[in-house]
Amino acid sequence: MNRAYLCSAIEGLSSQYGYHFQLNGESHYPTTVCRYPAAFMSQPEFVSLEGRKHGRITYKVSLRLARRGAKLAAAERNRIIAEMEEQLMEMFIDVSNDERVAVVEELTIAPCSGLIDSHGAVAVEAKANVITIF
C-alpha cells in the first residue's frame, strides 16, 4: 500500500506541474515520447523495512522530467534544465511534507547525459530514498 500511495502522490505532483506522468521500469523508458512535458518514474525499489504492525518502509525513487529540446540554443537548454531542477526539488519537498512520508533522504538531481528520444529532449533526473510510515 505504501508503494501505491507513494506513486500516486508523485503522479499528482507531476500533474500539478503540468507533466504527463508515466510509471514504468527504467529499461522501458520510451524511445519516443508521445506528449511533452513528460515525467517518467521507475517502480520504487524496496530498500528496507522497520517494524511489524507499525513502522517504516524505505524506497529508492527515481523521477525523470523531460521537455522538448530540439533546436534550442545552449542558453535556453540551460535555463530549462535549471527550471526542471527547481521543480524536482519542490516536488520532493512536497513529498516530504506528506502525512505518510517520514523523510526524503539522499536527494540527487542531475541532467540526463543520454538521449531520451530521437528529437533531442532536455531531461533531468532526481533520485532519492523516501521513508514512508505505516
Side-chain angles (χ1 to χ4, degrees):
M1 179 149 148
N2 283 21
R3 173 190 301 273
Y5 183 82
L6 180 59
C7 292
S8 177
I10 293 174
E11 179 178 4
L13 289 169
S14 298
S15 296
Q16 285 179 7
Y17 283 90
Y19 289 91
H20 176 68
F21 182 83
Q22 293 180 341
L23 178 65
N24 49 18
E26 190 160 324
S27 62
H28 295 108
Y29 280 133
T31 55
T32 303
V33 179
C34 296
R35 190 167 135 201
Y36 284 107
F40 303 101
M41 183 175 159
S42 297
Q43 288 287 344
E45 179 184 335
F46 182 94
V47 176
S48 67
L49 170 70
E50 296 175 29
R52 291 177 60 175
K53 293 184 179 182
H54 303 287
R56 299 173 177 213
I57 300 174
T58 302
Y59 292 101
K60 189 178 292 186
V61 175
S62 174
L63 179 64
R64 185 180 292 188
L65 301 181
R67 292 190 190 171
R68 292 188 190 280
K71 301 181 183 179
L72 289 179
E76 182 65 12
R77 287 178 82 80
N78 289 336
R79 185 193 67 73
I80 290 172
I81 287 170
E83 187 176 303
M84 287 191 294
E85 285 177 352
E86 188 174 315
Q87 289 173 339
L88 283 165
M89 279 190 290
E90 290 172 4
M91 284 183 198
F92 278 93
I93 288 169
D94 289 345
V95 166
S96 71
N97 290 328
D98 191 282
E99 64 184 18
R100 290 192 186 179
V101 174
V103 68
V104 173
E105 297 180 326
E106 300 179 28
L107 176 63
T108 61
I109 300 173
C112 296
S113 57
L115 291 175
I116 193 169
D117 67 5
S118 59
H119 301 291
V122 178
V124 177
E125 184 171 33
K127 294 181 180 181
N129 287 338
V130 179
I131 301 173
T132 62
I133 300 169
F134 69 93

